Amino acid sequence: QVQLVESGGGLVQPGGSLRLSCAASGTIFSSRFMDWYRRIPGQQREWVGSIGTGGSTNYADSVKGIFTITRDNAKNTVYLQISSLKTEDTDVYDCHVLYCGMNYWGKGTLVTVSS
């Protein structure tokens, strides 16, 4: 069974940064594309970006040049560096993987941007 566990969220001031982590188990992590999404609780998820097996990345236009996704295959972990945070970046951040035709999500980690 695939499990994804996000961590690293918290309260940060506007302009600050955080590094979110998503640890994966139960899959051949290094062969999977991984995605980050974000959502206001109760609302639809918004795609943030993806990272391929070789480390290539794609980002939503709204975060391009500001957020950075990396991965460490030895640790089965994908990271989301979020910077220059604004209050509107307050969201729950989720990671996602498609594996054997099924979508898997973690429970998310809450980022609150507030002064």
Side-chain angles (χ1 to χ4, degrees):
Q1 182 170 349
V2 176
Q3 289 188 319
L4 301 175
V5 180
E6 300 95 338
S7 61
L11 176 63
V12 61
Q13 292 186 341
S17 301
L18 284 173
R19 189 177 79 158
L20 310 181
S21 301
C22 172
S25 63
T27 179
I28 305 174
F29 176 80
S30 61
S31 66
R32 301 292 118 187
F33 275 70
M34 301 292 295
D35 310 288
W36 281 97
Y37 285 76
R38 60 182 179 181
R39 58 183 164 92
I40 296 172
Q43 297 191 14
Q44 190 172 355
R45 288 185 176 98
E46 173 192 24
W47 176 72
V48 172
S50 300
I51 186 164
T53 55
S56 60
T57 53
N58 285 293
Y59 299 96
D61 288 343
S62 59
V63 304
K64 197 173 295 183
I66 304 172
F67 291 6
T68 303
I69 300 174
T70 57
R71 66 191 298 159
D72 185 337
N73 290 336
K75 295 182 179 180
N76 283 2
T77 301
V78 62
Y79 303 97
L80 176 64
Q81 179 73 37
I82 52 177
S83 304
S84 303
L85 286 165
K86 305 174 183 178
T87 56
E88 52 263 41
D89 294 317
T90 295
D91 280 310
V92 175
Y93 287 75
D94 300 300
C95 64
H96 164 266
V97 66
L98 178 66
Y99 182 64
C100 293
M102 295 186 64
N103 292 297
Y104 291 92
W105 301 89
K107 293 183 178 180
T109 185
L110 175 63
V111 172
T112 302
V113 184
S114 175
S115 56

